[in-house]
Amino acid sequence: MPKVKRMETGSLLRKRVIWWIVGSLGVTGVAALLLGFILVFALLGSLVTTSDASKMAGIEVPDTPEFDIPLFLLPIYIQAEQEHASWARLAAIHQVTTDFGVKKAKRSDTIGALGFPRSLWEGYRVDGDSDGKIDPDNPYDAIFSLANYLQLTAQNPDEALAVWFGSSEEVALVYRKEEEYAAMLSRSGTWLWPVAGYTTISSPFGYRVDPVTGEQGAFHAGVDIPAPRGTPVLAVQSGTVTQVIRGSTGYGNAILLQHANGLVSLYGHLTDIGVRQRQQVLQGEVIGWVGSTGKSTGPHLHLEIRVNGQKVDPLPYFRQLDEP
């Protein structure tokens, strides 16, 4: 009996507290209080679900401007590059002239998707892909011809651009776009940075605390470049795919490219792979996409460079890159 009585007393006390709250706040006040709790929980849920998953996983992905160059054109700009016709300037002229073939050139006397002025085409056209034909609608021919024009008019580049556009209005825009592209995708000598717009290094080459196991003094044989999942990964040099790895441990999905002079580049933790074994790839060609497969704490590219089988620090090969 005493136990039952205590239960009844506790129940009565809870009821009195509830009725006191209702009496003090009124039905409207209670409803407002409940609505407030609901909104708070909804807001907290929204913050959790919309937060960057990579940050929650321990790797912060930096923001970057949109890299708007069509990736199938990038290797062509790189191949066509000359001393006075950088790949970034070629891309900038293409973007300003026709937005990479999306719109028509302002000039009416142009041909091809690049918007090559007819008067210039006849004097500077070249067979970019060596197929025996010179076609202004062939991106190789058009871009290589543009590079030829810039190279042969290098003594006065401003005037050359003004002649190209028919006015000087677009010249400043070309220089601005060129600077923007060059900043997002560093090229040093024969090496191209593999992730356009993302240059932060979250983990350098050398000894470190293993981010997964916590092991002290673990050796990291490459550099980690955080970027959003699905960001295209570019070949740092032209080469041959010697190995394609698909797995859930270690490097996860990974690609090995064989280059000249005993050099090999490895790209790890990819979300997907875009090449096959023994395939020939060009510098700047998309070979895969950033992911977090294998032994990884968040989306990033693990890049390794090997010289005659020896793993070396990749960063010295990209000397124009501003190290963090």
Side-chain angles (χ1 to χ4, degrees), residues 30-316:
V30 172
L33 184 63
L34 291 174
L35 180 60
F37 278 119
I38 292 171
L39 290 174
V40 168
F41 282 115
L43 178 61
L44 289 174
S46 174
L47 289 174
V48 171
T49 55
T50 59
S51 63
D52 187 346
S54 64
K55 292 180 182 178
M56 295 174 68
I59 292 183
E60 184 174 354
V61 175
D63 293 329
T64 184
E66 181 183 359
F67 190 74
D68 61 355
I69 298 175
L71 291 173
F72 78 94
L73 291 174
L74 182 59
I76 307 177
Y77 297 134
I78 292 171
Q79 290 179 78
E81 184 175 60
Q82 297 189 39
E83 181 183 358
H84 299 289
S86 71
W87 75 265
R89 180 166 298 185
L90 296 171
I93 292 172
H94 199 172
Q95 195 281 327
V96 174
T97 306
T98 64
D99 195 14
F100 304 111
V102 173
K103 64 182 183 182
K104 291 184 177 180
K106 289 183 179 180
R107 294 181 58 157
S108 59
D109 60 334
T110 62
I111 53 176
L114 180 54
F116 218 109
R118 289 181 182 274
S119 59
L120 298 179
W121 175 254
E122 295 303 323
Y124 297 95
R125 61 181 185 169
V126 296
D127 185 2
D129 56 1
S130 303
D131 65 351
K133 297 179 290 185
I134 304 178
D135 182 359
D137 288 314
N138 180 328
Y140 278 91
D141 293 349
I143 293 170
F144 272 77
S145 297
L146 171 58
N148 185 46
Y149 170 66
L150 295 178
Q151 185 69 20
L152 295 177
T153 58
Q155 290 184 344
N156 197 333
D158 289 353
E159 182 179 339
L161 289 176
V163 170
W164 174 275
F165 289 105
S167 71
S168 59
E169 295 177 3
E170 291 89 350
V171 174
L173 181 56
V174 166
Y175 288 140
R176 191 158 59 248
K177 292 297 293 185
E178 177 185 7
E179 184 178 355
E180 177 185 317
Y181 290 149
M184 286 194 288
L185 188 58
S186 173
R187 189 162 189 252
S188 177
T190 61
W191 293 85
L192 182 76
W193 190 245
V195 191
Y198 297 92
T199 57
T200 299
I201 304 297
S202 61
S203 185
F205 179 88
Y207 292 96
R208 65 175 184 175
V209 177
D210 190 295
V212 176
T213 66
E215 177 189 353
Q216 298 284 337
F219 186 74
H220 187 228
V223 295
D224 289 346
I225 308 164
R229 193 184 309 272
T231 300
V233 174
L234 312 175
V236 296
Q237 280 192 343
S238 298
T240 304
V241 180
T242 57
Q243 191 173 0
V244 171
I245 302 169
R246 296 185 184 274
S248 57
T249 60
Y251 291 118
N253 295 331
I255 299 167
L256 278 81
L257 292 184
Q258 177 72 57
H259 311 292
N261 302 318
L263 290 166
V264 171
S265 57
L266 179 145
Y267 313 79
H269 307 305
L270 305 174
T271 188
D272 203 358
I273 293 171
V275 292
R276 62 185 183 279
Q277 197 157 337
R278 293 186 293 277
Q279 180 178 335
Q280 301 288 324
V281 299
L282 297 173
Q283 184 180 50
E285 189 172 341
V286 177
I287 58 174
W289 294 267
V290 170
S292 187
T293 56
K295 186 181 177 184
S296 171
T297 60
H300 70 285
L301 172 67
H302 173 82
L303 174 68
E304 287 185 13
I305 300 295
R306 302 175 182 179
V307 182
N308 297 321
Q310 182 72 32
K311 298 174 182 179
V312 299
D313 187 356
L315 286 186

